[in-house]
Amino acid sequence: MANPVPSACCVVLAVVVVVYAQRHSQQDSHTQYERVGADVTMKCGSMDWDAAVTWTANGTDIDESHLNGSYLILKNVDLSQSGQYSCYEGSSWHLKYQTYLKVGTPPKEPVLMCRSNNYPKGFYCSWHLPTPTYIPNTFNISVIHGTKDMVCEKDAVPKNRCHIRYLQLFSTVKYKVTLTVTNALGKNFTTLTFDEFAIVKPDPPESVVAKPVPNNPRRLEVSWQNPSSWPDPESFPLKFFLRYRPLILDQWQHVELSDGTSHTITDAYAGKEYIIQVAAKDNDIGTWSDWSVAVHATPWTEEPKHLTTEAQITETTSASTSSFMAPPTTKICDKG
């Protein structure tokens, strides 16, 4: 007679596999968005209110105290309750309903900024939300120049930026930029209206270098380059603003320069380390750039001289002689 134990084991294993497959089958699945602090009710698909069901959250059984019949009730939800919720029929573990709960907030008014750092080629607009929503958001931007709609070409990186090409230079017609943000829980928007000239702001000067001037203990030579993003410095020249201070003081000294990319500081404190930065601006329009990367430099200092006077030599010789001691001698006595 054959041993029935292996057959029984196979049956049990088959039942476990079937239950597992039923429990994890994908039926009636979707995503549900809810606000932080909301009360959430989930219905178990087409199951009757009084049907026997089991709910899980991310694979963990939910206590029956959260059930109202077959409905799952979540009070005052928070971000930690985002996840996959599943409802199974009775003890059969047949999956009847599944949803991915995403808890978040509707968007607040977005922050929008438009700037031309490569005048006269065009300008870009960038944006962000003042606070996270914890759920996906969609941004749409529209640009109108007078009555003409313009295309804002979105960058691949960063994703929250797009570029506008100037079609007409020196235009007195204002631009109107509107940014709308939308998610599953709401929407919001903000609008900017500005003149072409008002948003011109160069990038900071580059390659700033500060060096001491030989034999001049109060001078520092500072040089820099135009920002590489500024396309035509000859037709649209920049002016510069230099600031500098010794590290021992908090107060800056300033120099505005109408042309050139170098300046000699003539009132530095001898022997003191300085911190130096430069900003740029179009000669006629726009605003000053941010400050360049800070550089450090110390004015030239005279190296100490070696002692060579006759008195110093005599003093040194005397000190050496007085400190000299003859080696001890051994007296040999004759035996008579």
Side-chain angles (χ1 to χ4, degrees), residues 257-276:
L257 306 166
S258 58
D259 58 4
T261 55
S262 64
H263 177 72
T264 301
I265 297 171
T266 60
D267 57 352
Y269 289 111
K272 300 299 181 184
E273 182 179 356
Y274 271 73
I275 181 172
I276 301 160

Side-chain angles (χ1 to χ4, degrees), residues 143-150 168 171-176:
V143 181
I144 300 175
H145 185 218
T147 58
K148 182 179 178 59
D149 290 329
M150 304 187 70
Q168 176 186 358
S171 171
T172 57
V173 178
K174 292 183 180 294
Y175 288 84
K176 182 180 179 180

Side-chain angles (χ1 to χ4, degrees), residues 131-153:
T131 57
T133 63
Y134 307 102
I135 60 175
N137 303 292
T138 300
F139 295 90
N140 288 301
I141 189 166
S142 69
V143 181
I144 300 175
H145 185 218
T147 58
K148 182 179 178 59
D149 290 329
M150 304 187 70
V151 176
C152 199
E153 300 175 3

Side-chain angles (χ1 to χ4, degrees), residues 12 44 58 64 72 161 183 187 190 214 231 248 258 285 288 295 331 336:
V12 172
C44 187
N58 298 321
E64 291 185 358
L72 175 63
R161 190 171 70 180
N183 67 23
K187 66 187 298 183
T190 190
I248 59 172
S258 58
I285 60 176
W288 287 98
V295 297
K331 184 176 181 182

Side-chain angles (χ1 to χ4, degrees), residues 1 3 16 34 40 50 56 58 66 87 91 106 118 126 128 159 171 200 227 243 246 275-276 279 282 309:
M1 182 176 178
N3 189 343
V16 170
E34 298 289 349
V40 179
D50 57 353
T56 65
N58 298 321
H66 294 286
C87 178
S91 59
N118 61 348
S126 61
H128 67 272
K159 293 183 178 181
S171 171
V200 175
R243 72 175 186 177
I275 181 172
I276 301 160
D282 182 273
T309 64

Side-chain angles (χ1 to χ4, degrees), residues 239-257:
K239 60 182 178 180
F240 301 96
F241 205 57
L242 177 76
R243 72 175 186 177
Y244 58 98
R245 66 174 177 84
L247 292 183
I248 59 172
L249 298 178
D250 294 329
Q251 186 175 359
W252 293 92
Q253 293 173 273
H254 301 88
V255 179
E256 184 170 339
L257 306 166

Side-chain angles (χ1 to χ4, degrees), residues 53-54 62-69 71:
V53 300
T54 300
I62 298 176
D63 188 87
E64 291 185 358
S65 63
H66 294 286
L67 301 185
N68 180 7
Y71 292 6

